[in-house]
Amino acid sequence: MSEIAAAQHIKPKRPHAPDASHAASVDPLLAAIREYWNAHIHDLAVAKHPVGTKGFFDDLDEYRFDKLRYLPQVVDFNGFRGQRLLEIGCGAGIDLIRFAKGGARVTGVDLAPQSIQLAQKNFALRGLRAELHVMNGEALEFDDDSFDVVYAHGVLQYTAHADMMAKEMHRVLKPGGQAIAMVYNRISWLHALSLVMKVELEHEDAPVLKKYSIGEFKKLLSPFFTSRIVPERFPVASRLHQGWKALAYNRIFVPAFNLIPRPLVSPLGWHLMAYCRK
Ligand SMILES: C[S@@+](CC[C@H](N)C(=O)[O-])C[C@H]1O[C@@H](n2cnc3c(N)ncnc32)[C@H](O)[C@@H]1O
């Protein structure tokens, strides 16, 4: 159990589960992942306001939901009122805030203490409640069958042992509960474009970044009774990149790609969304 959780007097749910600090001290790869995400706040480059202010969290929310226009259409943030929802790899809590506003009873965990400190500020600034813990999603400190919903958006691809995280997501879900996860699609328009244009994607320098085929993702999710995978995230103009490549991307590639009838390119979405049942 982390220092932060201890300070909040949250009792360890599974006393024998190794805590995040212990896991990172014995597994050098987890330690490197934790260090990387402590130093790299997701989407920091787009924030105009100082880190940790309300303006900062608003900037992150505005950018995220402009870039990921599909997300509120496929994840009903207001649809889990009264349900226990766990987010693994919650970062600064941008999505978790939306679930909390929708009435879910939310818990967020992240390997990086910096993420949890930001998420705590984000919730405090909005007067919303959440249980927030520094915790390794590969060894969750929660009992079996604890949550109605487990959400992990953009996390399985960055962890050391994705199979362990998938098993943990399944274990802590109640029977019949649902898991929602997203990984990157190796056979996608964005992966191909980055190779052709020789442009590095965000967090390519992270200690672990695995891109999946639909078949590989399905296999990862094999602990679940059912899993349905839907490619999402098609081109929208970029605010992050500058220069002629960004201009060509924004002015030529994005409009041209979006003229192609969607059914023809739908398997090539950059985000593979998974909807699973235990
Ligand atoms: C790309 S960020 C995504 C953050 C947030 N889910 C979002 O979509 O904005 C990946 C996050 O996963 C977290 N993470 C990576 N491995 C983890 C693990 N084993 N357990 C918990 N969190 C982990 C990182 O610390 C980081 O905050």
Side-chain angles (χ1 to χ4, degrees):
M1 179 62 56
S2 71
E3 313 80 343
I4 291 170
Q8 291 176 330
H9 308 295
I10 293 159
K11 278 193 253 146
K13 313 279 191 311
R14 298 174 78 220
H16 303 299
D19 73 14
S21 336
H22 176 72
S25 67
V26 293
D27 184 332
L29 187 51
L30 274 180
I33 293 168
R34 178 183 163 112
E35 198 173 312
Y36 177 88
W37 289 106
N38 253 339
H40 295 80
I41 302 167
H42 191 45
D43 290 337
L44 176 68
V46 298
K48 296 183 217 73
H49 294 84
V51 174
T53 60
K54 181 164 181 303
F56 168 77
F57 295 115
D58 288 343
D59 288 345
L60 293 192
D61 179 89
E62 192 275 324
Y63 175 69
R64 180 170 175 79
F65 286 91
D66 178 47
K67 186 177 64 170
L68 308 187
R69 287 170 204 177
Y70 77 85
L71 196 52
Q73 290 164 28
V74 299
V75 175
D76 184 1
F77 289 99
N78 298 318
F80 303 106
R81 179 163 295 279
Q83 297 188 35
R84 281 203 75 194
L85 181 143
L86 169 68
E87 178 169 6
I88 301 175
C90 63
I94 307 300
D95 289 0
L96 201 60
I97 286 275
R98 291 202 172 211
F99 285 118
K101 280 185 179 163
R105 292 152 58 206
V106 301
T107 300
V109 302
D110 200 291
L111 190 61
Q114 166 78 340
S115 297
I116 291 301
Q117 276 161 20
L118 285 172
Q120 283 174 327
K121 275 197 185 147
N122 197 0
F123 273 83
L125 282 165
R126 287 161 212 284
L128 290 166
R129 290 168 62 89
E131 267 195 38
L132 296 163
H133 310 273
V134 178
M135 197 183 284
N136 176 15
E138 297 178 3
L140 292 168
E141 300 164 54
F142 301 112
D143 289 335
D144 299 356
D145 308 340
S146 294
F147 295 94
D148 301 290
V149 186
V150 177
Y151 180 77
H153 193 276
V155 184
L156 282 159
Q157 59 268 55
Y158 291 111
T159 198
H161 312 97
D163 54 336
M164 285 169 66
M165 190 179 279
K167 281 184 191 143
E168 282 294 87
M169 291 172 71
H170 177 267
R171 182 184 66 74
V172 302
L173 257 189
K174 293 178 187 171
Q178 67 168 307
I180 303 170
M182 183 281 281
V183 298
Y184 302 137
N185 185 2
R186 194 170 65 243
I187 304 155
S188 62
W189 67 271
L190 188 55
H191 188 227
L193 187 69
S194 76
L195 294 178
V196 171
M197 299 291 284
K198 298 189 174 22
V199 174
E200 272 217 349
L201 299 174
E202 274 177 283
H203 306 303
E204 287 275 7
D205 56 341
V208 175
L209 173 48
K210 178 173 161 61
K211 293 157 194 143
Y212 287 79
S213 68
I214 291 179
E216 287 162 353
F217 194 23
K218 190 102 185 149
K219 196 166 164 214
L220 182 67
L221 300 169
S222 59
F224 291 92
F225 180 55
T226 61
S227 63
R228 182 169 62 89
I229 294 172
V230 184
E232 300 280 359
R233 171 76 165 97
F234 295 93
V236 293
S238 166
R239 286 193 241 163
L240 263 189
H241 298 95
Q242 306 292 329
W244 73 267
K245 286 182 182 176
L247 206 66
Y249 173 80
N250 286 340
R251 299 274 172 84
I252 301 168
F253 181 80
V254 174
F257 188 100
N258 286 314
L259 284 177
I260 306 171
R262 191 47 53 86
L264 291 181
V265 287
S266 60
L268 304 178
W270 170 234
H271 286 184
L272 295 177
M273 288 293 294
Y275 309 92
C276 312
R277 286 278 170 195
K278 180 169 176 178

